[in-house]
């Protein structure tokens, strides 16, 4: 009986410590919500491993399900998510999502921006221009296929080799199966504003990225004056290193 009492007392103490830790984190935050914007060849489920860490820190989380038809359309979807979020908001974008948050980040509710292996274009730049493929060749971009309707996608094999090479087969198979196809015409659409010039920015650099080359990510982070952190990871950094990504988002919420 004594052992049982001791066990229950220890469990209660551990629960209290976890609760207190969560309360301490929440009290440090200036933001109330996080809006997560997925990239091309992904969908909102790509944030499923990051979300629990953010919610445990006391943040509301909204993962946008963008149609990937156009930059303007994705910005409109993201703005609607920001509208319904409790502000202030940390706006997070992965890959193509960096184009979206660069434009949508001008929303009054947005406190800070987090780029996750993402494009950070200049005003007037399209993704095609921001990619600088001659300077930073990207094997994964070369592996893209286009369907008869003009939408880009990655094969199951290319997903495993270039998009998520540090994940097990069951996860890469799911990523390939659930991917969002990007309308090729979106690649030529320029951003009209650059929120990173006005808002504090953070950058999670994927150190082994074959889609958005690591060298290009480092240049983006430097250009926008971001607080940046790097970790050995594929392009699917939010899946393979969710706690690393979540911790940077939480930092941006403070």
């Amino acid at each position: 009986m004594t052992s049982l009492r001791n066990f229950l007392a220890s469990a209660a103490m551990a629960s209290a410590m976890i609760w207190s830790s969560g309360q301490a984190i929440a009290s440090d935050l200036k933001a109330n919500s996080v809006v997560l914007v997925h990239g091309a060849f992904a969908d909102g489920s790509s944030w499923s491993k990051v979300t629990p860490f953010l919610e445990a820190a006391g943040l509301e989380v909204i993962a946008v399900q963008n149609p990937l038809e156009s930059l303007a359309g994705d910005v409109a979807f993201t703005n609607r998510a920001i509208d319904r979020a409790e502000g202030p908001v940390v706006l997070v974008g992965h890959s193509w999502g960096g184009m979206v948050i660069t434009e949508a980040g001008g929303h009054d509710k947005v406190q800070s921006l987090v780029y996750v292996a993402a494009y950070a274009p200049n005003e007037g730049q399209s993704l095609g221009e921001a990619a600088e493929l001659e300077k930073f060749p990207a094997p994964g971009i070369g592996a893209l296929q286009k369907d008869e309707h003009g939408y880009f996608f990655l094969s199951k094999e290319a997903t495993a080799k270039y998009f998520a090479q540090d994940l097990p087969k069951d996860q890469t198979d799911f990523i390939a199966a659930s991917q969002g196809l990007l309308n090729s015409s979106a690649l030529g659409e320029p951003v009209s504003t650059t929120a990173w010039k006005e808002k504090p920015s953070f950058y999670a650099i994927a150190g082994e990225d074959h889609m958005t080359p690591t060298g290009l990510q480092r240049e983006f982070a430097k250009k926008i004056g971001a607080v940046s952190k790097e970790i050995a990871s594929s392009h699917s950094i939010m899946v393979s290193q969710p706690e690393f990504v979540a911790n940077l988002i939480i930092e941006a919420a403070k």
Side-chain angles (χ1 to χ4, degrees), residues 41 95 119 127 130-144 154 158 161-163 208-217 235:
F41 324 118
S95 192
Y119 290 89
L127 184 145
E132 296 189 60
L133 289 176
E134 290 187 7
K135 184 177 179 182
F136 297 103
I141 300 299
L144 290 175
L154 283 169
K161 186 174 182 180
Y162 300 118
F163 196 87
E208 298 173 357
D209 198 321
H210 302 316
M211 297 296 300
T212 307
T214 301
L216 179 61
Q217 293 180 43
H235 190 58

Side-chain angles (χ1 to χ4, degrees), residues 33-37 47 60-64 77-79 81-83 85 89-93 101:
S33 304
V34 177
V35 172
L36 302 167
V37 183
W47 301 106
E60 174 195 27
V61 179
I62 298 174
V64 180
F77 262 66
T78 299
N79 276 329
I82 299 169
D83 285 341
V89 171
V90 178
L91 184 59
V92 183
I101 71 170

Side-chain angles (χ1 to χ4, degrees), residues 112-116 200-204 224 226-228 248 251-253:
S112 54
L113 307 169
V114 181
Y115 290 81
V116 180
S201 298
F202 297 75
Y203 203 113
I224 69 177
V227 174
S228 63
L248 189 61
E251 186 176 341

Side-chain angles (χ1 to χ4, degrees), residues 165-185:
Q165 72 273 12
D166 53 354
L167 293 174
K169 184 177 184 301
D170 62 330
Q171 293 186 42
T172 61
D173 284 352
F174 177 78
I175 290 170
S178 62
Q179 69 180 293
L181 276 64
L182 178 67
N183 191 331
S184 55
S185 65

